[in-house]
């Protein structure tokens, strides 16, 4: 909010009438009722760069939803609110500690909509209040305050201060044309010292910080003393300005306004003994350039621009543009860098301290540090791309790498960036031009070799304004980034010492040319065992500390963590896991705060009591061997899952139907499996007419979940053969692998997650393609011991392992149709 009196467009009569009507409304709003201690609760109106004093009327401009909601609520209730001023007007999202402890109870008039769509209101200060407590922060502020009572009868010393203030204020009103004469008449009729001090402070152009100090002074006498000092200072300036004005007026003409302003500034500087401020500023700027350690090209460009600046009049429109450009050159870290910490052991400790697992990423960083320790002058920096699901630690690992290396960490979020100028900047011909995000972030880093994180690089867009991913090609190319050119600077800037780390959730949306410049390190989703270790080492201690339960003796049983992971979260990362752990701890913290008994050991039953019914149900293995029902192993971003495949054979026309939201690739796998079965029908003892007169229906339950990929090929074939031959499938067998028309079993991906899913579901045997056995190295040893993993190369091996040797029910046969019987009789005749 800010004072908008200067923004009104009405003429003087309309403005005066509107102010009069709105002021009368303000006086009809009653003050809040207080208790015997003068305490009451009220809504609070945050003010950014405006201080409202008691009994003063001031317009305010509403520029945020919180303030608008507060004012509308107060008007609906016909209540006053408490105006709270921010300590720092630049704070975008202030907290309770960011406001002054003294506020003003104000009455709020009607909201008016301005031409630009924002709203304004007229407010009247009532009385000072001391903030005791913030009762609510969202969706609006609510505070508990105490009224500050001020003495209204002045003593002799106070009367002397009031007379002195009125005399000086009369002279200020006479010299300062922006203060109306009615202000002095109004002040003469004020009998209370505090009111007089507040009224004069409102009328003067007092700095914001000084207004805050006056608001915080509860003693009227102290306020009057400070107001007298401010009046004396203002009067000195006004009298000096009047003298300067009189001296200069005789030397200038009305048509030479620019010359008049320049002469007035010279006269001011002469009075202060400071000389020509314009020449001094240009010389200071030139001296800064000469002392700075700039490259030759940057120094020549800066000095050339300063010469242009020196030849321009101070009021020329290009002065600000040139000055900003030179200051950007001076602010960039052309030759400032930090020393790398090349201690491999130290780096390993920091990485292991902050993150569990992620061995590939850690090894790559440690390899880089080791090479740098052996070859310190190595110039080329690695350009890494961390790819993985949300919540797997990509961004936080970047911070740990910067700490391990002793470098500064800076981050730019590229999500939603569609304009090339966001990366390269705008040319100086445009008004308000600035460098791109790369140069701006380097200025913020303050060194030439920070760790620069390009977050969400897969979310870059492009439209008619250009392709920002193409602008990144130069940034991420070690052969080119030593002379990166920003459109605003148009000076080569060295990015070769920067260690770039990009993050992405998928590689599919990253252009090939950009992806080719980065070394991709995949962040797989965490498995259950890893999540439990992360929760035990990091999440639980952090949540215990944040919720004040560090010394409570609270601990989680392993079974309780397993239940939270399995039944209350479904994710590849650990963000939701930490939220659920925090919910459990907060429930216990509430019981402790209420002096009630709380569980010191969190068990599965306590988890359900605190978190409610389970949110997710895991798929379990079949309970008995069945015909036409096989168990497939699937990979998802959130880990591995088992997936049931059901097959039914019905009378029909030889068609294949697949349901369960199955993708095109999986449907093609089903066709390939059926063709394989037809080609070996004699071996399986399946009559050919079955494929002509019966339909095969394949269904995968949980139809709301999309399913695709070729890895269910051998499972589809096994389930079809079981349904066509009447041979049951062992319930303890899970399988995955792609099938060809010849029955060969091809390798697939996601082996680690699939094998772990089989282990969680209670399967005993896992059938894998022979070429995937190498991937078992990533599977924990305990899981490899509990499961029997069998490699296969052909479908015949799969059937031998998964199917009963003999059928337990007759295979399906097509029913005889009337035309079939008629044809048989004719053949006999």
């Amino acid at each position: 909010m800010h004072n908008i009196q200067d923004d009104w467009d009405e003429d003087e009569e309309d403005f005066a009438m509107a102010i009069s009507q709105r002021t009368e409304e303000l006086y009809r709003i009653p003050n809040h009722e207080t208790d015997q201690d003068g305490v009451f609760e009220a809504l609070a109106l945050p003010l950014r760069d405006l201080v409202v004093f008691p009994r003063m009327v001031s317009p305010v401009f509403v520029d945020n939803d919180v303030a608008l909601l507060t004012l509308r609520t107060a008007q609906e209730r016909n209540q006053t609110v408490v105006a709270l001023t921010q300590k720092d007007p630049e704070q975008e999202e202030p907290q309770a500690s960011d406001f002054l402890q003294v506020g003003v109870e104000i009455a709020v008039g009607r909201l008016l909509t301005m031409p630009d769509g924002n709203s304004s209101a007229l407010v009247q200060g009532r009385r000072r209040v001391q903030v005791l407590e913030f009762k609510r922060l969202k969706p609006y502020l609510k505070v508990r305050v105490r009224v500050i009572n001020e003495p209204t009868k002045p003593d002799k010393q106070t009367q002397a201060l009031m007379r002195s203030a009125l005399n000086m204020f009369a002279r200020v009103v006479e010299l300062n044309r922006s203060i109306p004469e009615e202000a002095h008449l109004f002040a003469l009729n004020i009998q209370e010292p505090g009111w007089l001090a507040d009224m004069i402070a409102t009328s003067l152009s007092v700095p914001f910080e000084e207004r805050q100090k006056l608001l915080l002074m509860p003693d009227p006498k102290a306020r009057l003393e400070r107001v007298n000092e401010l009046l004396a200072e203002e009067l000195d300036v006004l009298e000096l300005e009047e003298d300067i004005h009189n001296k200069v007026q005789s030397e200038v003409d009305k048509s030479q306004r620019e010359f008049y302003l320049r002469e007035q500034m010279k006269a001011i500087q002469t009075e202060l003994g400071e000389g020509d401020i314009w020449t001094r500023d240009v010389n200071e700027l030139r001296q800064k350039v000469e002392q700075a350690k700039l490259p030759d090209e940057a120094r020549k460009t800066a000095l050339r621009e300063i010469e242009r600046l020196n030849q321009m009049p101070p009021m020329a429109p290009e002065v600000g543009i040139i000055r900003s450009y030179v200051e950007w050159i001076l602010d960039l870290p052309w030759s400032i860098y930090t020393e790398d910490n090349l201690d491999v052991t130290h780096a390993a400790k920091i990485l292991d301290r902050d993150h569990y697992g992620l061995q590939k990423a850690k090894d790559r960083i440690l390899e880089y540090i080791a090479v740098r320790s052996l070859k310190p002058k190595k110039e080329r920096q690695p350009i890494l791309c961390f790819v993985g699901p949300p919540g797997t630690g990509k961004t936080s690992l970047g911070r740990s790498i910067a700490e391990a290396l002793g470098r500064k960490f800076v981050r730019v979020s590229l999500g939603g960036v569609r304009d090339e100028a966001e990366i390269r900047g705008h040319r100086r011909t445009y008004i308000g031009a600035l460098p791109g995000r790369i140069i701006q972030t380097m200025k913020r880093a303050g060194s030439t070799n920070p760790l620069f994180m390009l977050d969400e690089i897969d979310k870059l867009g492009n439209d008619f304004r250009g392709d920002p991913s193409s602008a990144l090609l130069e940034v991420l190319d070690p052969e080119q980034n030593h002379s990166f050119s920003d459109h605003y600077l148009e000076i080569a800037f060295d990015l070769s010492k920067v260690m770039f780390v990009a993050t992405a959730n998928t590689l599919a949306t990253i252009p090939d040319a950009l992806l080719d410049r980065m070394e991709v390190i995949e962040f797989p989703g965490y498995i259950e065992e890893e999540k439990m270790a992360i929760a035990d080492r990091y999440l639980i201690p952090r949540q215990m500390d944040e919720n004040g339960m560090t010394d409570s003796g609270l601990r989680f049983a392993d079974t309780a963590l397993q239940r939270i992971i399995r039944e209350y979260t479904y994710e590849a990362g650990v963000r939701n896991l930490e939220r659920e752990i925090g919910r459990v701890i907060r429930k216990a913290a509430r019981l402790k705060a209420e002096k009630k008994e709380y569980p010191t050991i969190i068990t599965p039953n306590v988890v359900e009591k605190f978190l409610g019914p389970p949110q997710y149900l895991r798929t379990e293995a079949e309970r008995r061997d069945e015909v036409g029902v096989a168990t497939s192993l699937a990979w998802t971003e959130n880990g591995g899952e088992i997936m049931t495949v059901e097959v039914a054979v019905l009378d029909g026309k030889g068609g294949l139907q697949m349901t369960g939201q199955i993708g095109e690739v999986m449907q093609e796998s089903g066709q390939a499996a059926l063709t394989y079965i037809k080609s070996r029908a004699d071996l399986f003892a399946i009559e050919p007419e079955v494929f002509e007169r019966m339909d095969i229906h394949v269904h995968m339950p949980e139809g709301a979940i999309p399913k695709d990929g070729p890895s269910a090929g051998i499972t589809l074939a096994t389930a079809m053969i079981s349904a066509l031959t009447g041979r049951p499938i062992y319930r303890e067998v899970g399988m995955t692998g792609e099938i060809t028309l010849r029955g060969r079993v091809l390798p697939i991906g996601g082996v680690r997650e699939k094998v772990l899913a089989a282990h969680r579901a209670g399967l005993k045997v896992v059938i894998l393609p022979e070429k995937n056995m190498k991937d078992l190295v990533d599977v924990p040893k305990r899981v490899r011991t509990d499961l029997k993993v069998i490699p296969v190369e052909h479908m015949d091996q799969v059937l031998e392992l998964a199917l009963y040797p003999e059928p337990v029910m007759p295979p399906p046969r097509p029913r005889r149709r009337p035309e079939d019987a008629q044809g048989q009789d004719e053949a006999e005749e």
Side-chain angles (χ1 to χ4, degrees):
M1 293 195 173
H2 61 277
N3 198 319
I4 59 156
Q5 188 165 353
D6 296 333
D7 295 340
W8 288 67
D9 294 328
E10 296 94 336
D11 57 41
E12 293 181 1
E13 294 182 0
D14 292 342
F15 180 82
M17 184 178 297
I19 290 295
S20 176
Q21 293 174 354
R22 296 171 70 183
T23 305
E24 291 176 3
E25 295 174 1
L26 293 174
Y27 288 107
R28 292 196 289 267
I29 301 175
N31 289 346
H32 262 86
E33 296 183 359
T34 65
D35 60 15
Q36 59 185 3
D37 297 323
V39 176
F40 65 93
E41 292 184 7
L43 302 180
L45 180 66
L47 300 179
R48 180 172 296 173
D49 55 357
L50 175 65
V51 176
V52 178
F53 289 98
R55 304 187 186 183
M56 295 294 105
V57 176
S58 176
V60 294
F61 181 76
V62 183
D63 60 0
N64 63 73
D65 295 336
V66 175
L68 191 60
L69 176 61
T70 302
L71 296 182
R72 285 176 175 170
T73 305
Q75 288 181 336
E76 291 172 0
R77 299 176 182 175
N78 196 36
Q79 291 179 344
T80 58
V81 299
V82 174
L84 296 180
T85 302
Q86 292 180 205
K87 297 176 184 177
D88 181 8
E90 301 299 327
Q91 185 76 23
E92 291 294 334
E93 296 182 4
Q95 303 300 315
S97 61
D98 297 324
F99 293 98
L100 298 180
Q101 292 303 303
V102 174
V104 177
E105 183 183 11
I106 62 172
V108 182
R110 287 181 296 111
L111 283 171
L112 294 181
T113 302
M114 305 296 289
D116 60 358
N118 291 318
S119 300
S120 71
L122 206 62
V123 301
Q124 180 210 18
R126 293 291 176 86
R127 51 190 174 178
R128 275 181 174 79
V129 292
Q130 175 75 37
V131 179
L132 301 178
E133 180 184 2
F134 280 81
K135 305 293 288 185
R136 176 183 291 178
L137 294 176
K138 292 183 179 180
Y140 48 72
L141 298 177
K142 187 175 183 181
V143 293
R144 182 167 170 264
V145 297
R146 178 188 293 117
V147 176
I148 299 175
N149 294 314
E150 299 179 2
T152 58
K153 294 184 178 180
D155 54 20
K156 291 183 178 180
Q157 186 178 2
T158 306
Q159 288 179 351
L161 288 170
M162 292 176 68
R163 290 182 182 180
S164 173
L166 286 171
N167 291 333
M168 285 192 287
F169 187 54
R171 179 63 176 155
V172 167
V173 171
E174 181 183 346
L175 294 176
N176 191 342
R177 299 176 183 176
S178 64
I179 301 178
E181 294 181 0
E182 292 78 9
H184 179 238
L185 296 176
F186 184 81
L188 289 173
N189 291 287
I190 297 176
Q191 303 300 322
E192 298 178 12
W195 186 359
L196 179 62
D198 293 340
M199 183 268 170
I200 294 176
T202 302
S203 302
L204 296 179
S205 298
V206 179
F208 179 69
E209 293 77 14
E210 198 63 50
R211 289 175 181 267
Q212 289 182 327
K213 292 178 183 178
L214 289 172
L215 182 65
L216 293 173
M217 291 182 180
D219 183 15
K221 185 185 293 184
R223 285 209 304 279
L224 268 175
E225 290 176 351
R226 183 56 188 153
V227 166
N228 270 275
E229 295 174 2
L230 293 173
L231 283 169
E233 294 174 5
E234 180 71 7
L235 197 55
D236 288 342
V237 174
L238 290 173
E239 288 176 347
L240 181 60
E241 183 179 351
E242 182 72 9
D243 292 340
I244 295 170
H245 177 76
N246 293 333
K247 291 178 183 178
V248 176
Q249 186 66 34
S250 60
E251 301 175 10
V252 297
D253 190 29
K254 291 182 180 180
S255 62
Q256 297 176 324
R257 179 172 177 76
E258 181 180 346
F259 178 77
Y260 164 71
L261 293 173
R262 190 180 302 114
E263 289 298 317
Q264 191 177 41
M265 288 183 64
K266 286 182 180 180
I268 293 173
Q269 296 302 319
T270 302
E271 286 289 337
L272 298 176
E274 296 181 357
D276 186 359
I277 187 173
W278 172 247
T279 305
R280 190 182 71 243
D281 285 352
V282 173
N283 290 336
E284 286 179 0
L285 202 59
R286 182 183 289 106
Q287 187 176 4
K288 287 181 180 179
V289 172
E290 291 173 348
Q291 293 176 352
K293 297 179 180 179
L294 301 178
D296 292 340
E297 182 184 4
R299 175 178 284 102
K300 289 178 182 177
T301 303
L303 292 174
R304 184 174 66 247
E305 294 297 322
I306 290 174
E307 287 303 320
R308 288 183 59 203
L309 193 66
N310 194 33
Q311 296 171 11
M312 292 181 179
M315 306 304 293
E318 283 191 53
V319 166
I321 297 174
I322 296 175
R323 190 184 187 103
S324 296
Y325 177 72
V326 174
E327 288 175 350
W328 266 104
I329 294 176
L330 288 171
D331 289 342
L332 287 174
W334 299 93
S335 57
I336 303 172
Y337 64 92
T338 56
E339 286 290 339
D340 285 347
N341 187 337
L342 302 179
D343 186 345
V344 179
T345 306
H346 166 76
K349 285 181 180 178
I350 290 180
L351 296 178
D352 290 335
R353 179 198 70 190
D354 296 342
H355 293 82
Y356 179 85
L358 306 179
Q359 202 56 46
K360 290 182 179 178
K362 290 179 181 178
D363 287 345
R364 180 63 184 89
I365 300 305
L366 295 177
E367 289 166 5
Y368 165 73
I369 295 174
V371 172
R372 282 293 309 276
S373 65
L374 299 176
K375 188 179 180 182
K377 298 201 175 201
K378 176 181 171 65
E379 293 294 333
R380 181 170 294 192
Q381 306 292 318
I383 298 175
L384 308 178
C385 181
F386 295 161
V387 181
T392 50
K394 299 183 292 296
T395 303
S396 58
L397 182 61
R399 295 183 185 274
S400 297
I401 294 170
E403 182 182 351
L405 285 169
R407 295 191 179 195
K408 294 184 178 180
F409 177 83
V410 287
R411 171 184 166 274
V412 168
S413 178
L414 299 177
V417 173
R418 294 178 172 273
D419 189 354
E420 179 196 3
E422 290 278 345
I423 306 297
R424 284 189 173 275
H426 293 86
R427 300 191 184 279
R428 282 188 291 155
T429 52
Y430 297 102
I431 296 175
L434 284 173
R437 292 196 182 191
I438 301 297
I439 295 297
Q440 290 185 34
T441 307
M442 291 301 297
K443 174 188 173 183
R444 191 170 74 245
S447 71
T448 57
N449 62 336
L451 189 143
F452 197 127
M453 175 154 283
L454 300 167
D455 220 358
E456 309 293 352
I457 198 171
D458 58 323
K459 309 296 190 303
L460 282 171
N462 62 76
D463 56 18
F464 65 91
R465 291 169 291 186
D467 183 2
S469 62
S470 299
L472 283 176
L473 295 178
E474 180 183 359
V475 176
L476 299 180
D477 190 342
E479 302 296 333
Q480 303 179 45
N481 63 10
H482 64 277
S483 58
F484 172 70
S485 177
D486 185 272
H487 288 330
Y488 180 82
L489 287 182
E490 294 184 333
I491 302 173
F493 189 84
D494 187 5
L495 296 175
S496 63
K497 297 180 178 63
V498 179
M499 184 175 183
F500 287 101
V501 177
T503 69
N505 298 129
T506 177
L507 298 177
T509 56
I510 302 177
D512 292 340
L514 187 59
L515 186 62
D516 183 59
R517 285 164 165 76
M518 300 184 291
E519 181 180 344
V520 176
I521 297 178
E522 294 189 1
F523 279 49
Y526 293 118
I527 59 176
E528 183 178 300
E529 290 78 2
E530 291 174 334
K531 288 182 179 180
M532 290 186 64
I534 293 170
D536 187 56
R537 294 187 188 184
Y538 306 103
L539 307 185
I540 294 176
R542 184 160 64 215
Q543 287 298 317
M544 295 277 278
D545 179 64
E546 290 182 2
N547 293 287
M549 296 289 284
T550 305
D551 301 326
S552 63
L554 190 70
R555 66 183 183 87
F556 282 72
D558 290 346
T559 52
L561 278 178
Q562 284 180 340
R563 186 165 193 186
I564 294 176
I565 293 169
R566 294 179 180 181
E567 300 181 7
Y568 293 90
T569 65
Y570 186 73
E571 58 177 346
V574 291
R575 283 185 183 145
N576 287 326
L577 175 59
E578 183 172 9
R579 292 190 187 105
E580 298 302 322
I581 290 173
R583 284 180 59 194
V584 172
I585 295 175
R586 286 193 297 274
K587 299 282 187 185
R590 178 181 174 183
L591 294 174
K592 182 181 179 182
E594 294 173 348
K595 309 299 183 184
K596 296 180 180 179
E597 186 178 350
Y598 64 92
T600 56
I601 300 178
I602 304 299
T603 63
N605 291 334
V606 174
V607 169
E608 185 168 358
K609 178 182 177 182
F610 283 174
L611 299 183
Q615 302 298 313
Y616 304 97
L617 298 176
R618 295 281 181 177
T619 306
E620 297 181 354
E622 297 295 325
R623 297 186 178 179
R624 57 192 178 89
D625 302 341
E626 293 190 44
V627 174
V629 179
T631 302
S632 179
L633 306 179
W635 177 91
T636 69
E637 285 190 354
N638 300 314
E641 293 287 348
I642 66 168
M643 187 169 57
T644 302
V645 177
E646 302 175 346
V647 176
V649 182
L650 314 165
D651 283 332
K653 299 181 180 180
L656 173 64
Q657 182 182 8
M658 301 184 72
T659 57
Q661 206 172 155
I662 296 173
E664 293 184 4
V665 176
M666 190 172 287
Q667 291 186 28
E668 292 175 357
S669 294
Q671 293 286 353
L674 181 58
T675 301
Y676 163 75
I677 296 170
K678 289 179 179 180
S679 68
R680 301 171 69 88
D682 293 340
L683 181 62
F684 301 137
I686 302 174
E687 297 182 4
E689 63 178 357
V690 169
F691 299 111
E692 298 175 359
R693 298 172 54 183
M694 300 196 77
D695 288 343
I696 299 176
H697 185 174
V698 179
H699 179 68
M700 294 186 178
E702 300 183 23
I705 302 174
K707 310 168 188 73
D708 205 356
S711 61
I714 64 173
T715 315
L716 293 169
T718 303
M720 288 182 193
I721 294 172
S722 171
L724 291 169
T725 61
R727 296 163 63 185
I729 301 172
Y730 295 110
R731 69 180 184 280
E732 295 179 343
V733 176
M735 62 192 77
T736 179
E738 181 179 353
I739 188 174
T740 70
L741 297 179
R742 294 175 292 167
R744 292 179 57 201
V745 179
L746 302 182
I748 41 76
V751 171
R752 174 172 172 265
E753 289 79 6
K754 292 178 179 179
V755 173
L756 289 170
H759 184 261
R760 282 198 305 270
L763 300 179
K764 301 299 182 184
V765 179
V766 172
I767 299 175
L768 281 182
E770 172 72 33
K771 293 183 179 179
N772 280 122
M773 294 302 288
K774 60 180 176 55
D775 299 321
L776 292 178
V777 68
D778 296 329
V779 178
K781 186 176 180 180
R782 179 174 62 85
V783 176
R784 297 201 303 266
T785 303
D786 293 346
L787 285 175
K788 184 178 181 181
V789 182
I790 303 175
V792 295
E793 294 182 330
H794 197 274
M795 194 64 207
D796 293 345
Q797 298 170 273
V798 178
L799 299 176
E800 184 178 347
L801 295 168
L803 295 179
Y804 276 34
E806 298 295 335
V808 297
M809 57 184 295
R813 294 285 184 271
R815 288 182 296 181
R816 294 188 63 187
R817 302 173 183 170
E819 55 269 24
D820 296 338
Q822 181 180 356
Q824 184 176 357
D825 294 340
E826 291 176 355
E828 290 176 354
E829 292 177 0

